[in-house]
């Protein structure tokens, strides 16, 4: 028998190793992590890496730890390691070492950098990103606008509070004092009286104003409010007549016998003002020892300076371009000061008893200080010149007359007419001529066809007597019109003479007034070269700036300050004399040929005097000639011409 042995496969057990780390699952404490197995390095990761039943017990490479003294989770910058390295050294240690202040748990990287002057987040900057919200405050009143929020620590035009309704006005903010100003001062949505919950602390006081002149009656009746109940209330008080709209404090005083300005008195004539003109200069004319009948008054006025004082610098004046075209600028207004328009000038006799009267007047540009001993020529168009006024009444001896010079308003209308040719015009008593071909001398004063007075025909000459004889001022000269005005015409004569003993220049400015028979001349004499006054024969050097004669003259009279020549019947003639005579001139003298004014001797007989060039012999002195219809002394107007009233100007005023 044959035996058969059946061999079979015996089952074998294979260890499970799913993470294929070489350790089967029976020994691997985490068969899904190839890095976790017995003998692996223990790491600080919160796991049992070496499968010894302990976690993070002896880490292979423990991380650095830093002292965290304030417990804020961030260590200090000293990087001090613990004594036993490990994964968790316990409280007081941190993984990060960037705390800039390890004594304060609120200070560390990542903290909010609040408004405390400290670098809370350790970034090297202070208070750069605060958590607090503020409001822009442009006007610095402590309140900002609600719609302008910023993160800020203050000190930069911001405020903690909001609600400002006008951030451009520091007096307007919530809780401010409400005032009568048309503004919602306290930002509660109401204005002035509309704010019933917050009445203004300073309401206006309104006084009853029946005549609507802007000034109310003083008394116990008044209203305190921001707005008046109706139009019959005014903020000003003190009206002395609340039924007259022209009467109130500060009103224009008029010539009506009423206290218009409520100052308790009716002023004299100087207080009156014509409101048609915005500017005036008050003046007073005072007569001397003799009464001045219908005198001519001459005021030296700088209207440019007056306007500059009344108008702010750089503003526009009220003057319009004058008719002569020499003042102002083209257009309806002039510039400050220089905008004076002579056409607006009006002279008024300030007499409230007889009534204010407009007087004939004119402005002569280029002839300032006409009666004074100075050169009368000044720049044309500078607003400075002479104002001529023909007064229409008598100023008694030692008496005075108030006069106002108004300007800057409507063009004035003056009487007197216009002299077309100032070299020859006809007055009430005769004809006056100035001859430009004879040195600009006064040639003829003709009354009833008779030449009663002639400077040009004087036999001895009008000039200087030297050892060589007379240097007569009767040669050709240039004669020109100097801006004639409505009541005045002026003409200038200019000549120069040379002789063996020297040379002299004479200048004469003649002027007259329409419908007025007097003619005036202003004379100036000076040497042009160095002159030696010497006469061994005994005749002194002499000066005759004025000498006049009349053809067929028979009657002549000399008197103190006045000479007279006329016809043989002594009825008609011409009086003449100095206005403010030169100190060096002798009184007038006459013979049967002529009348003259001779200078005191410049050089005594038999002596020698050197007169340098430019020596003044006659210093712009004024001479007047007056045709008369009677003998000397019969014309009462002559004292007022020879000794005109003195004039005093006040300061310029504005209405």
């Amino acid at each position: 028998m044959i035996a058969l042995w059946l061999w079979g496969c015996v089952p074998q057990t294979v260890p499970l190793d799913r993470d294929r780390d070489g350790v089967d699952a029976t020994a691997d404490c985490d068969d899904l992590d190839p890095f976790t197995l017995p003998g692996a390095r223990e790491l600080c990761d919160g796991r049992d890496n070496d499968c010894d039943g302990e976690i993070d017990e002896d880490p292979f490479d423990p991380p650095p730890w830093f002292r965290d003294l304030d417990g804020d989770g961030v260590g200090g910058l000293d990087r001090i390691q613990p004594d036993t390295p490990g994964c968790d050294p316990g409280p007081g240690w941190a993984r990060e070492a960037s705390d800039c202040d390890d004594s304060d748990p609120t200070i560390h990287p990542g903290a909010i950098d609040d408004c405390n002057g400290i670098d809370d987040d350790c970034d090297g900057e202070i208070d750069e990103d605060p958590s607090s919200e503020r409001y822009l405050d442009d006007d610095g009143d402590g309140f900002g606008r609600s719609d302008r929020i910023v993160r800020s620590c203050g000190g930069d035009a911001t405020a903690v509070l909001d609600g400002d309704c006008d951030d451009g006005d520091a007096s307007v903010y919530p809780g401010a004092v409400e005032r009568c100003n048309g503004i919602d001062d306290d930002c509660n949505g109401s204005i002035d009286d509309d704010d019933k919950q917050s009445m203004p602390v300073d309401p206006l006081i309104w006084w009853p104003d029946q005549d609507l002149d802007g000034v109310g009656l003083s008394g116990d009746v008044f209203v305190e409010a921001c707005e008046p109940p109706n139009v019959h209330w005014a903020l000003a008080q003190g009206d002395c007549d609340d039924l007259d709209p022209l009467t109130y404090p500060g009103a224009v005083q008029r010539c009506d016998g009423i206290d218009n300005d409520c100052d308790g008195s009716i002023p004299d004539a100087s207080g009156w003002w014509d409101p048609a003109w915005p500017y005036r200069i008050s003046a007073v004319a005072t007569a001397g020892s003799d009464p001045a009948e219908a005198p001519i008054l001459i005021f030296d006025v700088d209207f440019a300076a007056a306007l500059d004082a009344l108008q702010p610098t750089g503003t526009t004046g009220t003057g319009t371009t004058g008719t002569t075209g020499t003042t102002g600028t083209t257009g309806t207004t002039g510039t400050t000061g220089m905008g004076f328009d002579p056409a607006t000038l009006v002279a008024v006799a300030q007499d409230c008893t007889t009534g204010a009267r407009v007087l004939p007047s004119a402005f002569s540009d280029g002839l300032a200080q006409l009666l004074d001993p100075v050169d009368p020529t000044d720049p044309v168009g500078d607003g400075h010149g002479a104002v001529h006024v023909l007064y229409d009444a008598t100023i008694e001896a030692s008496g005075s007359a108030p006069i106002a010079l108004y300007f800057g308003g409507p063009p004035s209308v003056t009487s007197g007419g216009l002299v077309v040719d100032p070299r020859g015009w006809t007055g009430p008593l005769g004809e006056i001529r100035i001859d430009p071909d004879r040195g600009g001398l006064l040639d003829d004063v003709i009354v009833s066809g008779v030449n009663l007075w002639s400077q040009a025909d004087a036999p001895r000459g009008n000039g200087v007597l030297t050892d060589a004889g007379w240097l007569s001022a009767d040669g050709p000269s240039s004669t020109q019109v100097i801006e004639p005005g409505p009541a005045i015409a002026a003409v200038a004569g200019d000549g120069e003479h040379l002789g063996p003993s020297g040379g002299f220049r004479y200048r004469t400015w003649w002027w007259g007034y329409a419908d007025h028979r007097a003619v005036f001349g202003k004379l100036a004499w000076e040497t042009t070269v160095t002159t030696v006054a010497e006469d061994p024969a005994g005749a002194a050097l002499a000066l005759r700036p004025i000498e006049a004669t009349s053809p067929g003259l028979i009657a002549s009279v000399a008197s103190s300050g006045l000479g007279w020549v006329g016809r043989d019947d002594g009825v008609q003639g011409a009086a003449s004399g100095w206005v403010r005579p030169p100190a060096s001139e002798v009184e007038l003298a006459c013979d049967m040929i002529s009348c003259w004014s001779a200078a005191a001797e410049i050089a005594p007989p038999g002596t020698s005097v050197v007169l340098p060039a430019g020596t003044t012999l006659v210093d712009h002195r004024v001479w007047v000639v007056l045709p008369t219809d009677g003998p000397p002394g019969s014309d009462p107007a002559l004292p007022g011409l020879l000794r005109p009233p003195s004039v005093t100007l006040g300061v310029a005023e504005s209405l």
Side-chain angles (χ1 to χ4, degrees):
M1 177 168 120
I2 299 173
L4 296 175
W5 296 88
L6 297 176
W7 296 91
C9 295
V10 180
Q12 299 291 322
T13 301
V14 178
L16 185 62
D17 182 10
R18 287 173 292 183
D19 56 9
R20 297 184 180 184
D21 57 2
V23 179
D24 61 58
T26 60
D28 197 336
C29 56
D30 186 354
D31 201 34
L32 296 177
D33 183 357
F35 298 102
T36 301
L37 68 156
R41 291 180 177 180
E42 189 69 25
L43 302 177
C44 291
D45 57 2
R47 302 177 66 188
D48 181 13
N49 304 99
D50 56 1
C51 296
D52 63 354
E54 296 183 59
I55 298 175
D56 298 344
E57 76 284 2
D58 187 16
F60 169 75
D61 186 15
W65 291 92
F66 306 94
R67 291 288 186 183
D68 179 15
L69 301 179
D70 55 12
D72 58 7
V74 182
L77 300 177
D78 51 6
R79 289 180 171 271
I80 299 176
Q81 296 281 357
D83 296 336
T84 303
C87 291
D88 185 6
W93 296 91
R95 294 288 298 276
E96 183 180 350
S98 57
D99 198 334
C100 54
D101 186 351
D102 205 27
S103 64
D104 189 338
T106 65
I107 300 176
H108 54 82
I112 296 177
D113 199 359
D114 233 331
C115 299
N116 54 12
I118 299 174
D119 181 13
D120 300 280
D121 56 1
C122 296
D123 64 352
E125 299 183 52
I126 297 176
D127 299 347
E128 80 279 4
D129 188 21
S131 60
S132 59
E133 291 185 345
R134 297 174 66 92
Y135 305 90
L136 289 180
D137 179 17
D138 291 338
D139 56 13
D141 58 9
F143 290 83
R145 283 177 44 180
S146 303
D147 60 345
R148 303 176 69 189
I149 302 174
V150 294
R151 295 170 68 91
S152 169
C153 290
D156 52 358
T158 62
V160 175
L161 303 175
D162 66 337
D164 200 335
C165 52
D166 186 351
D167 206 28
D169 188 342
S171 66
V172 177
Y173 54 86
V177 174
E178 187 71 25
R179 302 184 182 279
C180 293
N181 53 13
I183 298 174
D184 179 14
D185 300 281
D186 57 4
C187 295
N188 68 349
S190 299
I191 296 175
D192 298 347
D193 285 341
D194 294 334
D195 190 351
K196 303 305 181 185
Q197 302 301 319
S198 178
M199 264 309 278
V201 297
D202 57 348
L204 303 177
I205 300 177
W206 300 88
W207 307 91
D209 180 18
Q210 187 65 29
D211 56 13
L212 298 177
D213 58 8
V215 183
L217 283 173
S218 303
D220 297 331
V221 179
F222 57 87
V223 173
E224 291 185 333
C226 289
E227 295 293 334
N230 52 55
V231 296
H232 289 284
W233 297 87
L235 288 174
Q237 61 170 320
D239 200 336
C240 53
D241 186 350
D242 204 34
L243 297 179
D244 184 358
L246 299 179
T247 300
Y248 54 87
V252 174
Q253 187 63 47
R254 302 171 184 272
C255 286
D256 54 8
I258 298 175
D259 180 15
N260 302 113
D261 57 4
C262 296
D263 65 352
S265 64
I266 299 176
D268 58 16
S270 63
W272 174 82
W273 192 303
D274 188 334
W277 283 268
Y279 309 119
R280 81 170 180 183
I281 300 177
S282 297
V284 176
T286 304
S289 58
D290 297 319
E293 179 180 306
I296 297 171
L297 309 176
I298 300 178
F299 302 88
D300 180 77
V301 185
D302 190 342
F303 288 101
L307 285 174
D308 283 340
L310 295 172
Q311 300 171 350
T313 302
T315 59
T316 300
T318 57
T320 56
T321 301
T323 56
T324 60
T326 57
T327 59
T329 56
T330 303
T332 57
T333 59
T335 56
T336 300
M338 296 297 289
F340 167 65
D341 180 7
T344 67
L345 176 65
V346 60
V348 176
Q350 298 279 82
D351 189 345
C352 292
T353 302
T354 61
R357 310 181 308 281
V358 175
L359 304 173
S361 62
F363 175 73
S364 285
D365 201 351
L367 288 176
Q369 299 175 285
L370 196 54
L371 294 181
D372 297 329
V374 296
D375 189 337
T377 58
D378 65 340
V380 174
D382 64 351
H384 186 195
V387 176
H388 305 251
V389 178
L390 277 65
Y391 197 71
D392 62 355
T394 298
I395 303 177
E396 298 299 334
S398 302
S400 61
I403 296 170
L405 304 177
Y406 292 96
F407 59 99
S412 60
V413 178
T414 58
S415 61
L418 176 66
V419 176
V420 178
D421 186 355
R423 288 168 293 182
W425 67 91
T426 300
L429 286 181
E431 182 180 357
I432 299 173
R433 297 175 183 169
I434 297 174
D435 193 341
D437 296 326
R438 304 183 69 182
L441 300 176
L442 186 63
D443 196 359
D444 302 313
V445 178
I446 300 174
V447 177
S448 299
V450 177
N451 187 2
L452 298 177
W453 201 98
S454 176
Q455 183 187 18
D457 292 333
R460 299 178 182 85
N462 297 264
V464 179
L465 177 62
T466 70
D467 57 338
W470 282 97
L471 295 179
S472 182
D474 59 359
S477 71
S478 60
T479 302
Q480 60 180 355
V481 177
I482 306 179
E483 194 187 352
I488 179 177
V491 62
D494 192 338
E496 184 173 319
H497 287 274
L498 296 174
S501 296
F504 302 87
R505 182 191 181 199
Y506 66 91
R507 287 169 293 166
T508 307
W509 293 263
W510 292 102
W511 75 90
Y513 302 89
D515 298 328
H516 196 288
R517 63 184 186 273
V519 62
F520 296 80
K522 188 166 189 175
L523 290 77
W525 289 79
E526 63 185 8
T527 59
T528 57
V529 297
T530 298
T531 300
V532 177
E534 181 181 7
D535 184 9
L541 184 86
L543 173 69
R544 286 191 175 184
I546 291 292
E547 182 187 21
T549 187
S550 175
L553 174 69
I554 296 177
S556 63
V557 177
S559 62
S560 177
L562 171 67
W564 184 89
V565 296
R567 301 171 62 183
D568 54 2
D569 57 11
V571 174
Q572 289 183 323
S576 61
W578 290 101
V579 177
R580 300 178 184 175
S584 62
E585 296 297 325
V586 298
E587 297 177 353
L588 291 175
C590 295
D591 56 18
M592 297 304 294
I593 300 176
S594 63
C595 292
W596 62 88
S597 174
E601 294 177 344
I602 297 175
T607 62
S608 175
V609 175
V610 177
L611 302 176
T615 301
T616 299
L617 302 177
V618 177
D619 188 9
H620 301 87
R621 299 293 176 160
V622 176
W623 177 270
V624 61
V625 179
L626 178 70
T628 66
D629 56 0
S634 63
D635 196 322
L638 192 58
L641 297 175
L642 291 178
R643 291 177 291 277
S646 59
V647 294
T648 303
L649 286 175
V651 298
E653 306 168 275
S654 60
L655 182 60

